[in-house]
Amino acid sequence: MRNLLLGTLAFGTAGYYYYNKEQFTQLAKPKLDYQAVKSDIADILEQQGWDGYNHIGPVLVRLGWHASGTYNKADKTGGSDGATMRFNKEQNDPANAGLHHAQKFLEPIKAKHPGISYADLWVLASYVAIEEMGGPKIDFTPGRKDAPSEASCPPNGRLPDASKGSSHIRDVFYRMGLNDREIVALIGGGHGIGKCHSDRSGYEGPWTNAPTTFTNLYFKELFDKTWTQKKWNGPLQYEDNTKKLMMLPADLEIRNDPEFKRIALEYKENKEAFFKDFASAFKKLTELGFKQF
Ligand code: HEM
């Protein structure tokens, strides 16, 4: 009788658990407080000694972009889901030189909030960096998962080559499923902040005099300055008359290609349109390959 009673009790408890699994799981795994993660990211953006301007916002934006820009619409490989740049194969793609620094800066955030995937963390960090540097607020949709092994890495060589022209730029971005307007908004926003490093890409210098402020200054510099070939031992790049600012050959394509130019001139005159288009293009870019969609 006693055994029967115990058995009924155990069965009943298991049944109760089974039928209320959802609630139990929710109790066991509290919802991530994304607001807290965001504010912790904002707190680490200033890093003494980093890049001469003590701010890691630009390199975090580059991490979010390079994690996403490997997407291939045709076979749905690559993209931000998976955070495959954690693995040597993708980390060693020359295009990703220096991005291990960005990953490392985010480790304390991952340690404090272990429930967030690296894939979500990298994208969220790029959004926080953009917003904190004065750029548009981008709504974050979580749900990316981390790939278990290097086997999920996309092939290297999918990111754009700065020495090439507009047809290469279109090939790369069209492969992701992005259009001319999105290309111009993304490059203008991305290169309005940060700088090139000769020990990473081979190129050197910032595009604007405000590398930690998100603005449409890139377009103003591109059209209002005269860009001449820099005389040095490095790869072909261009400099302004102060010799302090730079443009990559790929940047000058935004001025030289008629369709890119038309869009870029619009963004030069209309900061609001640029911010709005950048925000939606960056959200789209960072959700490429996101299996939820
Ligand atoms: C044709 C397309 C593009 C090419 C060829 C290109 C190329 C480059 C190169 C060569 C660098 C220098 C890296 C270094 O030496 O540290 C760089 C930096 C950067 N790029 Fe791009 N890029 C492109 C598009 C984009 C896009 C779409 C974004 C983001 C929306 C972006 C964001 C950045 C940022 C933020 C940096 C500065 C990183 C730092 O300061 O550490 N780029 N890019």
Side-chain angles (χ1 to χ4, degrees):
M1 180 66 187
R2 187 168 168 267
N3 280 353
L4 186 71
L5 210 71
L6 281 176
T8 313
L9 199 68
F11 188 74
T13 312
Y16 178 77
Y17 171 73
Y18 181 78
Y19 285 112
N20 292 277
K21 206 167 165 205
E22 272 310 300
Q23 284 95 312
F24 270 92
T25 318
Q26 275 174 16
L27 278 181
K29 255 173 100 186
K31 272 200 156 179
L32 249 168
D33 181 354
Y34 286 98
Q35 216 35 56
V37 184
K38 280 181 78 170
S39 92
D40 286 336
I41 295 169
D43 284 349
I44 61 157
L45 292 179
E46 280 187 24
Q47 294 278 345
Q48 280 310 308
W50 180 255
D51 269 345
Y53 42 69
N54 307 323
H55 202 291
I56 62 167
V59 80
L60 293 184
V61 174
R62 192 162 195 247
L63 177 66
W65 138 237
H66 278 211
S68 311
T70 55
Y71 189 63
N72 181 7
K73 192 174 86 162
D75 63 7
K76 298 186 166 55
T77 58
S80 64
D81 210 355
T84 44
M85 207 200 295
R86 285 169 298 136
F87 303 112
N88 285 339
K89 180 174 175 277
E90 192 171 331
Q91 182 61 72
N92 293 339
D93 185 332
N96 289 331
L99 289 179
H100 63 286
H101 293 296
Q103 293 182 43
K104 240 172 132 182
F105 280 127
L106 293 173
E107 279 301 333
I109 310 291
K110 172 72 178 164
K112 187 166 171 194
H113 305 277
I116 193 169
S117 63
Y118 281 101
D120 270 349
L121 177 60
W122 293 355
V123 170
L124 182 60
S126 66
Y127 291 6
V128 173
I130 289 164
E131 198 181 334
E132 291 290 317
M133 289 188 284
K137 180 179 176 345
I138 305 171
D139 287 329
F140 177 67
T141 308
R144 295 165 193 77
K145 297 194 176 61
D146 293 336
S149 76
E150 192 163 281
S152 306
C153 288
N156 285 356
R158 285 191 177 178
L159 292 160
D161 178 336
S163 70
K164 296 203 172 142
S166 57
S167 63
H168 167 76
I169 298 175
R170 285 197 171 90
D171 284 348
V172 170
F173 284 88
Y174 288 3
R175 185 209 65 223
M176 296 177 220
L178 301 177
N179 61 32
D180 284 359
R181 222 176 153 75
E182 290 162 335
I183 293 173
V184 175
L186 287 169
I187 297 177
H191 291 178
I193 50 173
K195 70 182 285 280
C196 293
H197 306 76
S198 53
D199 60 336
R200 297 182 202 164
S201 59
Y203 299 100
E204 184 55 47
W207 293 268
T208 77
N209 284 314
T212 62
T213 311
F214 192 99
T215 57
N216 64 342
L217 210 52
Y218 169 89
F219 298 110
K220 295 186 200 278
E221 301 294 12
L222 189 62
F223 291 104
D224 293 349
K225 293 226 157 113
T226 304
W227 295 98
T228 54
Q229 193 174 329
K230 180 178 169 82
K231 293 188 182 55
W232 71 325
N233 275 336
L236 172 64
Q237 68 173 65
Y238 297 86
E239 61 186 8
D240 70 337
N241 63 345
T242 69
K243 299 189 187 305
K244 289 195 179 121
L245 303 184
M246 69 91 66
M247 288 286 163
L248 297 164
D251 291 306
L252 291 193
E253 293 295 296
I254 303 296
R255 195 191 61 182
N256 298 339
D257 177 272
E259 182 56 11
F260 287 163
K261 178 179 178 180
R262 191 187 62 73
I263 302 162
L265 281 171
E266 184 190 327
Y267 290 150
K268 173 180 181 247
E269 302 308 329
N270 189 342
K271 188 179 148 202
E272 285 67 38
F274 164 58
F275 270 40
K276 189 169 162 282
D277 289 358
F278 176 85
S280 65
F282 199 75
K283 184 167 170 67
K284 182 170 169 187
L285 168 74
T286 47
E287 289 181 352
L288 296 173
F290 187 177
K291 308 282 185 310
Q292 183 174 316
F293 293 93

